[in-house]
């Protein structure tokens, strides 16, 4: 049995298929983990969601910011932009089933026997494993409520929840978790989230900003952290316990698969448009 972790697919389903062929992925014995952002920008978000839904327990997905945004689009809370290539998905006959499946996906997953944690953007350095579990579970519970659109999705877009406040309640607590686990790249030196800079660390000109993974963290010592979201990194990080898997396939670069057991990365260049 093998564990494969794939970076941000963003609708690049043909590239995903080629990657899985390269490693002879067998869903009857292997597990495919996805760091989120299954949809948007690439040409086939619909096939991507259908594929992961069909995998059942063989597919382990966490939600990314684009997946959360899809929930807002489906709920008519945001405008559908043509550049996201989501119209075929939103108009699909099985869209309700796909959305119901997506709402069941968490913001974090663990592989305890290997001390691996997967989120979309990373883990706040202030958080312990217990806090990560607790906060992500609160968001999952809110997503699975009948009023999730009004109570969560309509209110999650905010740059104000940039500080971890252990005593926060309600939507402010949920907002910070969503911001941190699906949008985080840099933190200010005092530990609060920055939402503007997307450059790789070597190009960041603000001396007050540091990558989230450069802060001391108990989880960095004990676990391998698998994440995507930050395409500008192109997989280049400063520790073997960090696996940055977003390598910009939807931007014309490549899709990356990490094979846990061999600690090898396999890549597939973005295919040319036919």
């Amino acid at each position: 049995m093998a564990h494969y972790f794939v970076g941000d697919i963003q609708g690049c389903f043909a590239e995903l298929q080629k990657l899985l062929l390269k490693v002879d992925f067998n869903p009857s014995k292997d597990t495919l983990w996805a760091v989120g952002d299954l949809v948007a920008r690439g040409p086939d978000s619909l096939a991507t969601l259908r594929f992961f839904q069909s995998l059942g327990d063989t597919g382990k997905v966490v939600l990314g910011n684009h997946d959360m945004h899809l929930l807002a689009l489906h709920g008519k809370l945001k405008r559908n932009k043509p550049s996201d290539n989501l119209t075929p998905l939103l108009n699909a006959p099985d869209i309700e089933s796909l959305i119901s499946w997506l709402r069941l996906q968490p913001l974090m997953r663990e592989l305890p026997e290997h001390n691996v944690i997967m989120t979309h953007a990373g883990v706040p350095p202030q958080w312990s494993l217990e806090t990560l579990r607790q906060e992500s579970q609160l968001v999952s519970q809110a997503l699975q409520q009948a009023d999730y659109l009004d109570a969560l999705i309509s209110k999650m877009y905010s740059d104000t929840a940039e500080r971890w406040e252990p005593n926060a309640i309600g939507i402010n607590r949920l907002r910070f978790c969503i911001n941190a686990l699906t949008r985080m790249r840099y933190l200010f030196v005092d530990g609060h989230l920055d939402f503007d800079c997307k450059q790789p660390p070597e190009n960041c000109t603000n001396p007050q900003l540091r990558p989230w993974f450069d802060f001391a963290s108990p989880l960095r010592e004990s676990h391998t952290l698998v994440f995507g979201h930050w395409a500008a990194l192109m997989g280049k990080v400063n520790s073997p316990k960090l696996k940055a898997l977003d390598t910009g396939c939807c931007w014309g670069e490549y899709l990356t698969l990490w094979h846990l057991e061999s600690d090898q990365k396999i890549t597939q260049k973005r295919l040319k448009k036919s």
Side-chain angles (χ1 to χ4, degrees):
M1 177 179 177
H3 294 279
Y4 297 103
F5 292 74
V6 66
D8 301 37
I9 301 164
Q10 292 207 306
C12 295
F13 185 62
E15 289 81 358
L16 174 64
Q17 288 180 301
K18 284 191 170 292
L19 262 184
L20 297 180
L21 283 173
K22 286 182 180 182
V23 298
D24 195 24
F25 174 73
N26 184 344
S28 68
K29 63 178 182 178
D30 301 328
T31 304
L32 180 61
W33 301 68
V35 300
D37 278 4
L38 301 180
V39 303
R41 297 200 175 106
D44 211 339
S45 294
L46 176 57
T48 304
L49 280 194
R50 284 173 171 168
F51 173 70
F52 276 95
Q53 184 187 42
S54 74
L55 287 178
D57 290 340
T58 297
K60 308 289 188 183
V61 171
V62 293
L63 297 174
N65 52 301
H66 284 285
D67 309 312
M68 297 292 285
H69 186 63
L70 173 61
L71 297 177
L73 292 177
H74 175 257
K76 311 298 184 189
L77 299 173
K78 289 288 181 176
R79 181 175 60 87
N80 180 22
K81 295 186 296 184
S83 60
D84 280 338
N85 288 328
L86 289 173
T87 300
L89 170 57
L90 291 166
N91 291 339
D94 54 342
I95 183 60
E96 298 299 333
S97 172
L98 293 169
I99 291 295
S100 294
W101 171 83
L102 198 65
R103 287 171 55 199
L104 295 174
Q105 307 313 308
L107 292 183
M108 69 85 69
R109 286 188 184 268
E110 301 176 67
L111 188 55
E113 59 267 37
H114 291 280
N115 285 337
V116 171
I117 293 170
M118 179 177 72
T119 63
H120 179 60
V123 179
Q126 309 97 317
W127 283 7
S128 65
L129 179 56
E130 292 72 21
T131 302
L132 174 61
R133 288 169 175 163
Q134 171 185 284
E135 299 306 310
S136 60
Q137 182 61 26
L138 288 174
V139 175
S140 291
Q141 289 170 355
L143 277 173
Q144 292 164 33
Q145 299 300 310
D147 65 346
Y148 79 102
L149 287 172
D150 291 334
L152 179 65
I153 302 300
S154 67
K155 299 173 182 175
M156 71 177 178
Y157 290 101
S158 172
D159 290 348
T160 59
E162 80 279 13
R163 295 180 184 273
W164 168 233
E165 301 287 352
N167 296 322
I169 60 174
I171 189 62
N172 286 331
R173 191 180 194 106
L174 300 179
R175 275 176 179 161
F176 179 82
C177 183
I178 293 170
N179 280 338
L181 298 191
T182 73
R183 299 177 63 196
M184 179 172 62
R185 293 184 181 92
Y186 287 98
L187 303 180
F188 286 91
V189 291
D190 68 356
H192 76 275
L193 298 169
D194 168 68
F195 297 110
D196 296 322
C197 186
K198 300 180 181 180
Q199 296 294 319
E202 62 270 21
N203 294 345
C204 179
T205 59
N206 187 339
Q208 295 299 309
L209 296 180
R210 291 166 56 193
W212 65 267
F213 47 75
D214 279 356
F215 288 76
S217 163
L219 283 179
R220 286 279 309 280
E221 300 298 321
S222 59
H223 287 73
T224 297
L225 305 184
V226 181
F227 65 99
H229 183 59
W230 199 346
L233 291 176
M234 289 303 291
K236 298 176 182 178
V237 285
N238 58 6
S239 168
K241 285 197 168 186
L242 294 168
K243 304 299 177 184
L245 299 184
D246 184 2
T247 46
C249 188
C250 71
W251 302 112
E253 295 296 336
Y254 51 90
L255 191 63
T256 295
L257 194 74
W258 174 55
H259 179 215
L260 182 152
E261 284 77 10
S262 66
D263 194 20
Q264 297 295 311
K265 288 182 176 179
I266 304 95
T267 62
Q268 171 59 50
K269 182 70 177 175
R270 176 72 187 266
L271 300 173
K272 293 181 179 180
K273 295 181 180 179
S274 57

